Amino acid sequence: MRVALERTVPVWARGAVQAGLIRAAVGSGTAVGLLSTIQIVLSQLDRLVLSRQLVLSDFGRFSVASTLSWNLFSFITPVFSAYLPRLLASAPPATAGSTRERTLMEGSLVMACVTTPPCLTLALFGRATLCAWTGDAELAEESGTIVLALALGHLLTAYHFIPQCLQHAQQRLRPQITASLLALAVGGAWMSFITELPRAAWGWAIMSAI
């Protein structure tokens, strides 16, 4: 293994520790780790806050609607996973006509085309989908507005993903961290003071737009 590495990676053969590369990797890794932690908290913020604010029956209705809407990531995640490495591999900068600029535009269009139909379909037919899924017409009627808000929130999130891929490629994560912290503050405050289910769900949609 060592011989193969020395033949293919000349730096390995020198055996020198390059402090500059280590500092860059540590700085980039710290930023990615911080961003990932914030986004994990954001993804669970509704449950963390509303589980304390709502009675168990209301929280159950929200959880059912949330579980249904999270299936939309079956459409969102593959597009993100396909275009992140392409943007990372494309040559900078993202100027007009460059490879990175074309990849950014293509990825944005593909994301919009793939995610908009299922998100809008679930938003418009959330009650019918819930009724078909659970067989409970009363639950579907009570949770339909929640599904609408969450589906639109996930659609807004999907539209952000490809530009975020570009920021990862450019190693410019500060705007994402700032926006995520702002969304965390706004979403947490909204859900803490509004205990009615539909309004709390709209807080998630607003948070997704930031």
Side-chain angles (χ1 to χ4, degrees):
M1 178 67 73
R2 180 181 177 86
V3 171
L5 284 171
E6 289 180 353
R7 289 176 177 175
T8 56
V9 185
V11 173
W12 183 273
R14 293 200 298 268
V17 176
Q18 299 188 25
L21 292 177
I22 294 175
R23 284 195 298 270
V26 169
S28 177
T30 301
V32 172
L34 176 60
L35 180 61
S36 299
T37 302
I38 296 172
Q39 290 179 340
I40 289 172
V41 174
L42 278 173
S43 68
Q44 301 298 320
L45 181 64
D46 51 355
R47 295 173 178 82
L48 291 172
V49 176
L50 295 180
S51 62
R52 299 175 180 272
Q53 297 289 106
L54 302 175
V55 298
L56 186 59
S57 59
D58 286 345
F59 182 68
R61 286 194 291 273
F62 182 87
S63 296
V64 170
S66 179
T67 300
L68 177 61
S69 67
W70 273 97
N71 288 316
L72 293 170
F73 273 88
S74 300
F75 299 93
I76 298 170
T77 304
V79 181
F80 177 83
S81 301
Y83 278 91
L84 177 59
R86 290 182 61 182
L87 283 167
L88 289 172
S90 60
T95 54
S98 66
T99 302
R100 181 169 285 181
E101 194 266 349
R102 291 195 301 271
T103 304
L104 174 65
M105 295 300 297
E106 178 187 308
S108 298
L109 288 172
V110 170
M111 179 67 81
C113 291
V114 169
T115 60
T116 300
C119 287
L120 291 184
T121 299
L122 185 59
L124 294 174
F125 302 102
R127 287 182 175 85
T129 305
L130 272 175
C131 188
W133 180 37
T134 64
D136 190 331
E138 182 180 355
L139 173 65
E141 184 63 30
E142 293 172 345
S143 304
T145 304
I146 304 170
V147 174
L148 168 64
L150 296 178
L152 292 179
H154 289 317
L155 180 60
L156 294 173
T157 299
Y159 288 166
H160 290 167
F161 269 10
I162 299 302
Q164 286 175 359
C165 288
L166 178 62
Q167 290 177 337
H168 276 280
Q170 296 175 331
Q171 296 187 350
R172 295 176 54 207
L173 297 181
R174 183 173 297 178
Q176 284 190 55
I177 293 174
T178 302
S180 296
L181 288 173
L182 179 60
L184 186 62
V186 172
W190 180 284
M191 294 181 189
S192 296
F193 290 104
I194 296 178
T195 58
E196 296 179 10
L197 264 183
R199 292 184 180 180
W202 283 113
W204 170 263
I206 293 172
M207 189 171 64
S208 301
I210 297 176

